Amino acid sequence: MHEFALYGQVRKDDHHRMLQQLAGFARMQPQDAKEIHLVFKARQPPGVDLVQSIGASHLASQRQQDIQRVKNMLNAGLYYVQLVGEVLPEKPARVAENGDVTMTNGSGGQAAEKSSVKWSFEFRDTPDAGKQAVSSRLISRTPMDEGNFIRFLDNFGYDYVSRYMVVGSRFYDHDTTLFLHQVLRLPEVGADEAISDESFSSSINDLPELDGSGGYILQASIDVVDGNNPELKERATRQLLAVKEALRQAVDLTPGDRLSLDTRLPITSGRT
C-alpha cells in the first residue's frame, strides 16, 4: 500500500477556525481520534560493530571505502517501526433484566473484558526522493489482536525506544483523510509496561505538548493499494492538489520534509 500526503501547520489560535473550515469542506462533524504510538528500532546484524573503523590510519584509501560500503549495506535495511494503539470510545453499558450492568462485544455477546485500545503494527518507508507534488511512500498496517506484542517484536529483532500520543480530529472527503492533530508526550516507562501502563488515560488534557507553541499539524492523505499504478497515483495526486487549492486560504499544504519523515536508523559506528 502507498500513502500520498500533504502537510500543513496550524497555529493554536487558529485551531477552532480550522475545525470549522474542515467541517464545512468535508460536510461532516469532526471525529475525535486518540492514538498511542510505541516506537521500536531494528537491531543491527550481529558483528557490525566488529567491522574495523574507517578511520584506521594503516588502511589504504580503497580499503577504507570498501569497509564503509559494507557497513552501509548491513545497515541499509534498518528502520524504526511503530505499534499504534487506537483508543476506542468507551463501550456503552447494557443493563440486564436483573439489574446487573454488563459490557457487550461487537457481536452482541457478553465480553469477558472491556478492551479500550485497538493495536496495529505499522511500517512507513522513507518518502520517494526527488521533487514531488505530494509526498509518496510505502506503508503497511497489520492488526495485532492478542499476545505479548513486545516479546513478539523482540523476537523479530526490534527494541522498544519510546512512546508518545497523538490526539486530534479526523474528517473524510471521498478517499481523502484530513487529520488535524498534535503530539503529546507520555511518561516514559520500561518496555514491559509500555502497553499496559495507562496511568495517563484519566488526565490526557494535562499531558505536555511536543510543540511548545501548542500548534497543530494537518495531514491530508490518501491510501492507495497499488501506488505504482500510474493511473491511481495520478488520481490521488490530483485529489490532494484539489484539497490544497480548496483550503489554501486557511492553511498551506505542502509535501512533507523528506528528512523529517525518514524512518531509517542513522548509520553509526560503535567504535572510534
Side-chain angles (χ1 to χ4, degrees), residues 16 35 47 79 92 103 128 152 154 160 182 195 226 235 237 250:
H16 182 68
E35 297 176 347
Y79 290 81
M103 303 303 298
D128 296 339
F152 173 80
D154 178 67
Y160 169 73
Q182 60 180 183
I195 290 181
D226 183 7
R235 182 187 303 171
T237 300

Side-chain angles (χ1 to χ4, degrees), residues 43 72 108 136 151 167 176 190:
R43 290 192 290 270
N72 292 344
S136 170
R151 182 181 301 172
V167 297
T176 307

Side-chain angles (χ1 to χ4, degrees), residues 23 26-32 170-172:
R27 301 173 300 281
M28 63 173 289
Q29 292 299 307
Q31 294 189 358
D32 292 339
R170 282 196 177 94
F171 300 83
Y172 302 96

Side-chain angles (χ1 to χ4, degrees), residues 36 87 116-117 119 163 165 185-190 193-208:
I36 304 170
V87 181
S116 59
V117 180
W119 293 96
R163 63 178 187 164
M165 191 162 193
R185 300 178 185 271
L186 287 179
E188 288 302 329
V189 295
E193 301 178 55
I195 290 181
S196 60
D197 175 65
E198 296 182 2
S199 57
F200 57 86
S201 59
S202 60
S203 57
I204 291 179
N205 293 334
D206 297 329
L207 293 174

Side-chain angles (χ1 to χ4, degrees), residues 4 9 46 49 59 106 118 129 132 159 222 231 253 263:
F4 297 87
Q9 293 183 318
D49 290 339
L59 292 176
K118 181 180 179 182
Q132 306 285 338
D159 293 327
I222 298 175
E231 182 179 348
L253 291 173
T263 55

Side-chain angles (χ1 to χ4, degrees), residues 1-226:
M1 182 185 302
H2 276 74
E3 175 191 74
F4 297 87
L6 291 171
Y7 304 86
Q9 293 183 318
V10 177
R11 295 185 308 167
K12 181 179 182 179
D13 294 342
D14 294 332
H15 177 243
H16 182 68
R17 177 182 60 81
M18 192 72 246
L19 284 176
Q20 292 180 316
Q21 293 265 5
L22 294 174
F25 173 76
R27 301 173 300 281
M28 63 173 289
Q29 292 299 307
Q31 294 189 358
D32 292 339
K34 298 182 179 69
E35 297 176 347
I36 304 170
H37 289 244
L38 275 58
V39 182
F40 294 79
K41 69 175 181 180
R43 290 192 290 270
Q44 290 182 330
V48 171
D49 290 339
L50 300 180
V51 178
Q52 297 184 38
S53 170
I54 64 172
S57 58
H58 64 280
L59 292 176
S61 176
Q62 183 59 45
R63 179 62 171 167
Q64 294 177 15
Q65 295 177 11
D66 291 343
I67 290 179
Q68 183 63 54
R69 185 157 44 249
V70 169
K71 283 189 174 182
N72 292 344
M73 290 173 58
L74 291 174
N75 286 279
L78 301 182
Y79 290 81
Y80 288 100
V81 298
Q82 295 192 5
L83 276 180
V84 179
E86 178 187 0
V87 181
L88 303 174
E90 292 294 327
K91 295 182 179 179
R94 177 172 60 84
V95 181
E97 293 181 359
N98 60 5
D100 293 338
V101 177
T102 61
M103 303 303 298
T104 60
N105 56 25
S107 60
Q110 182 173 341
E113 178 177 87
K114 182 176 66 174
S115 175
S116 59
V117 180
K118 181 180 179 182
W119 293 96
S120 62
F121 175 78
E122 287 197 2
F123 166 79
R124 293 174 178 266
D125 203 351
T126 304
D128 296 339
K131 188 174 182 179
Q132 306 285 338
V134 301
S135 294
S136 170
R137 62 178 170 181
L138 180 69
I139 64 170
S140 174
R141 298 188 186 95
T142 304
M144 305 283 280
D145 295 326
E146 59 183 17
N148 188 321
F149 303 154
I150 303 296
R151 182 181 301 172
F152 173 80
L153 288 173
D154 178 67
N155 291 337
F156 273 88
Y158 290 96
D159 293 327
Y160 169 73
V161 177
S162 62
R163 63 178 187 164
Y164 61 91
M165 191 162 193
V166 174
V167 297
S169 304
R170 282 196 177 94
F171 300 83
Y172 302 96
D173 179 58
H174 301 292
D175 298 332
T176 307
T177 299
L178 299 163
F179 189 20
L180 182 63
H181 63 280
Q182 60 180 183
V183 179
L184 306 178
R185 300 178 185 271
L186 287 179
E188 288 302 329
V189 295
D192 294 339
E193 301 178 55
I195 290 181
S196 60
D197 175 65
E198 296 182 2
S199 57
F200 57 86
S201 59
S202 60
S203 57
I204 291 179
N205 293 334
D206 297 329
L207 293 174
E209 300 157 348
L210 183 63
D211 181 355
S213 70
Y216 288 75
I217 299 171
L218 176 61
Q219 175 181 324
S221 62
I222 298 175
D223 292 347
V224 177
V225 175
D226 183 7

